[in-house]
């Protein structure tokens, strides 16, 4: 770790940049982001408890979904502000997490088809991961989108595809990190979030959770193909890294 | 004296942030990262992939042997089963000797031998039904592989050993709720685990300054995380049951020690962030217990708790940023 000004000077000496060192405010290291994320979820649980007990009855899925969407929208407006205070950002994070929980629970009660619910949640979380400009938020939304997608695939009979598909998405994002540097603050948190989702999918795969929960869904994709796809992805990524 | 910030951001993050702001031309980004020395070259990737595949291969070989025996349990005789696992142990020890334990392949072979030893003990217990408790298996396992761990000089192997020791202690207390007439409560198990992990952390941290192969940040952070997580559980338990004395001494001591070591002696923000998280969780448990004890809790206590969590988390993030920006010698 060097002082940013020293890094800038190295770059200037190599003729890559000129002028004085511009300001830099990269995202905090991963463990500080994890602290913010866990704190956000902890606060969201208390917001949900407050709303459930004191504000409105939880037995109306339509109301829950609408209120949840409004909370997400309110939080997103805060994240779009140019200058954002840490306390306000953290409050917005908790409000959005609580809102997402309301939308997920509300949607699950509105729709009958479990597969449609999972696809809808995956789509919503993916949109939030791309549109809401806050790194910690992007990462958790991308993780939620990845897990919801894996559940949707499982309910479609393609459970064994999810690990390979997630691995391919993660590989694509990281291999193109520099080519897409102008969108780096979106690409990196989404890649981290999808990695978390892949770990969750792998852990439950090893524990065979799906067989207990959704054993009635026939799986048309064989586990062997499911295991081969991440292996192929790994080999492609390794080959790309060695060529570069 | 050369003074620089202890560093919140890696050089890589700084360069990529400039690229996103357009301060570095798009077509020069790869050059810029190379000049800053933050992107591995193909040779380094090759070395990394070699290490990764070697360690994964060793672990998979151990797992494959155990699955082979389990899947062919009835088809294999007693001698075939023992022979297979013992051959694996002898083979990996010979491989470690031939490859040299100062090199990674030799260390990976010792890792395989250590894992296979657990398989052998499990096979022994299953075949002869000795009536031994599960904790004895793990304790024997830890004891038998200790000489290999000592000669391997490999941080990952010590972490595996610590995991086995943790399992043995956890299982011991679940089998023996009392010892010499003293009845153990469930939190005595947690205290034992806390003491063992914290001692290991202290010893490791002290030795890491002198012994190069022990200076692995991830391993020390893992020990710190287990020590902190167990203590936070104990603090939460003490708050809920209103049993203060031991925790009241230990917790502040642990926090002060963390601050003194990881802010003033060794700069490691991971540990400070972990301690912050522990305090946030403990204070939240305290608030919830206080509110729950009230006959008529005020309106909006949950909202207040949510705000308290938000406030503490934001304050922790601001403080960590401030610590990172401080100059250090």
């Amino acid at each position: 770790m060097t002082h940013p000004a020293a890094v800038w000077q190295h770059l200037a000496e190599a003729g890559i940049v000129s002028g004085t060192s511009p300001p830099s405010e990269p995202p905090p290291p991963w463990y500080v982001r994890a602290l913010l994320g866990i704190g956000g979820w902890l606060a969201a649980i208390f917001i949900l408890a407050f709303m459930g007990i004191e504000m409105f009855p939880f037995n109306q899925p339509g109301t829950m979904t609408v209120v949840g969407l409004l909370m997400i929208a309110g939080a997103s407006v805060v994240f779009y502000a140019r200058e954002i205070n840490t306390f306000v950002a953290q409050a917005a994070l908790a409000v959005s997490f609580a809102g997402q929980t309301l939308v997920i629970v509300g949607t699950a009660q509105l729709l009958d088809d479990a597969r449609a619910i999972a696809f809808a949640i995956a789509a919503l979380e993916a949109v939030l991961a791309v549109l809401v400009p806050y790194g910690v938020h992007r990462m958790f939304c991308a993780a939620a989108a990845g897990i919801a997608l894996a559940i949707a695939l499982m309910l479609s009979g393609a459970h064994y595809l999810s690990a390979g598909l997630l691995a391919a998405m993660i590989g694509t994002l990281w291999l193109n990190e520099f080519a897409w540097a102008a969108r780096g603050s979106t690409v990196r948190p989404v890649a981290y979030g999808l990695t978390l989702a892949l770990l969750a999918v792998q852990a439950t795969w090893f524990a065979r959770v799906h067989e207990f929960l959704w054993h009635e869904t026939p799986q048309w994709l064989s586990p062997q193909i499911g295991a081969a796809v991440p292996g192929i992805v790994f080999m492609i990524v390794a080959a790309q890294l060695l060529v570069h | 004296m050369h003074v620089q910030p202890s560093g919140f951001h890696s050089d890589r993050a700084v360069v990529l942030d400039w690229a996103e702001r357009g301060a570095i031309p798009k077509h020069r980004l790869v050059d810029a990262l190379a000049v800053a020395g933050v992107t591995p070259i193909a040779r380094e990737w090759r070395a990394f992939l070699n290490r990764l595949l070697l360690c994964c291969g060793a672990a998979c070989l151990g797992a494959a042997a155990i699955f082979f025996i389990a899947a062919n349990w009835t088809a294999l005789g007693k001698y075939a089963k023992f022979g297979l696992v013992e051959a694996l142990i002898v083979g990996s020890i010979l491989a470690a000797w031939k490859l040299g334990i100062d090199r990674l392949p030799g260390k990976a072979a010792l890792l395989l031998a250590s894992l296979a030893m657990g398989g052998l003990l499990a096979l022994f217990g299953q075949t002869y039904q000795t009536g031994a408790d599960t904790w004895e298996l793990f304790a024997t396992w830890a004891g038998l592989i200790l000489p290999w761990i000592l000669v391997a000089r490999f941080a990952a192997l010590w972490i595996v050993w610590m995991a086995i020791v943790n399992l043995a202690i956890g299982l011991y207390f679940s089998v023996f709720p009392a010892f010499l007439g003293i009845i153990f409560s469930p939190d005595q198990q947690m205290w034992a685990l806390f003491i063992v992990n914290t001692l290991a952390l202290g010893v490791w941290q002290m030795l890491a300054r002198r012994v190069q192969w022990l200076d692995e940040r991830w391993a020390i952070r893992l020990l710190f995380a287990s020590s902190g997580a167990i203590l936070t559980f104990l603090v939460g338990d003490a708050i809920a049951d209103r049993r203060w004395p031991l925790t009241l001494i230990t917790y502040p001591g642990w926090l002060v020690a963390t601050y003194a070591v990881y802010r003033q002696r060794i700069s490691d923000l991971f540990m400070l962030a972990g301690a912050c998280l522990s305090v946030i969780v403990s204070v939240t448990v305290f608030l919830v217990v206080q509110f729950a004890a009230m006959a008529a809790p005020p309106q909006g206590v949950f909202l207040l708790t949510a705000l308290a969590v938000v406030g503490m988390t934001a304050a922790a993030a601001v403080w960590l940023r401030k610590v990172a920006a401080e100059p250090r010698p």
Side-chain angles (χ1 to χ4, degrees), chain A residues 106-202:
Chain A
T107 316
Q109 290 178 16
L110 280 176
L111 300 176
D112 273 341
D113 183 358
R115 192 170 57 172
I117 297 167
F119 273 118
I121 292 168
L124 169 77
E125 295 292 340
V127 168
L128 292 178
V130 174
L131 288 187
V132 181
Y134 188 61
V136 180
H137 194 269
R138 284 190 204 278
M139 194 183 83
F140 276 85
C141 290
I147 291 168
L149 179 66
I151 293 172
L153 285 173
M154 184 200 297
L155 294 170
S156 311
H159 167 63
Y160 296 106
L161 186 64
S162 50
L165 191 64
L166 287 170
M169 289 198 273
I170 296 163
T172 308
L173 287 174
W174 283 127
L175 285 175
N176 286 294
E177 187 193 3
F178 303 146
W180 298 338
R183 308 271 302 156
S185 57
T186 306
V187 170
R188 274 182 294 276
V190 169
Y192 280 124
L194 290 176
T195 309
L196 277 182
L198 177 59
L199 286 175
V201 167
Q202 284 291 60

Side-chain angles (χ1 to χ4, degrees), chain B residues 32-72:
Chain B
L33 289 162
V35 168
V38 290
T39 35
I41 55 174
R43 184 161 44 82
E44 289 161 323
W45 276 119
R46 187 181 298 275
F48 167 76
L49 288 171
N50 274 339
R51 290 173 68 106
L52 180 71
L53 291 173
L54 181 68
C55 292
C56 288
C60 286
L61 201 55
I66 290 165
F67 283 128
F68 182 80
I69 290 170
N72 299 291

Side-chain angles (χ1 to χ4, degrees), chain A residues 1-5 7-8 10-11 14-18 21-32 34-40 42-47 49-51 53-54 85-88 90-92 94 174 177-186 188 234 238-239 241-244, chain B residues 4-21 23-26 28-33 35-36 39 41-42 45-46 49 52-53 221 268-270 273 276-277 280-281 284 288 298-303 305-307 309-318 320-321 328:
Chain A
M1 246 168 286
T2 329
H3 195 281
V7 179
W8 185 262
H10 277 304
L11 299 183
I16 294 168
V17 295
S18 56
S21 162
S24 74
E25 190 55 46
W30 68 268
Y31 42 83
V32 177
L35 175 72
L36 292 170
I38 295 169
L42 194 59
I45 292 169
F46 288 106
I47 292 176
F50 168 72
M51 295 178 76
I53 291 169
E54 300 179 35
N85 166 301
T86 310
F87 179 84
V88 176
Q90 191 58 24
W174 283 127
E177 187 193 3
F178 303 146
W180 298 338
R183 308 271 302 156
S185 57
T186 306
R188 274 182 294 276
F234 178 81
L241 290 173
L242 294 176
V243 166
H244 275 306
Chain B
Q4 63 176 31
S6 57
F8 203 40
H9 304 300
S10 62
D11 292 353
R12 186 183 199 277
V14 169
V15 172
L16 286 170
D17 183 56
W18 282 332
E20 186 155 3
R21 289 160 189 265
I24 296 171
K26 195 180 171 204
R28 301 300 307 273
L29 175 61
V30 174
D31 299 334
L33 289 162
V35 168
T39 35
I41 55 174
W45 276 119
R46 187 181 298 275
L49 288 171
L52 180 71
L53 291 173
R221 286 175 170 184
D268 194 336
L269 282 177
F270 174 90
C276 287
L277 182 61
I280 292 169
V281 170
T284 309
V288 171
Q299 286 258 304
V301 282
F302 286 117
L303 194 61
T305 314
L307 281 173
V309 174
V310 166
M312 287 187 289
T313 318
V318 169
L320 288 168
R321 200 170 293 152
R328 76 170 171 186

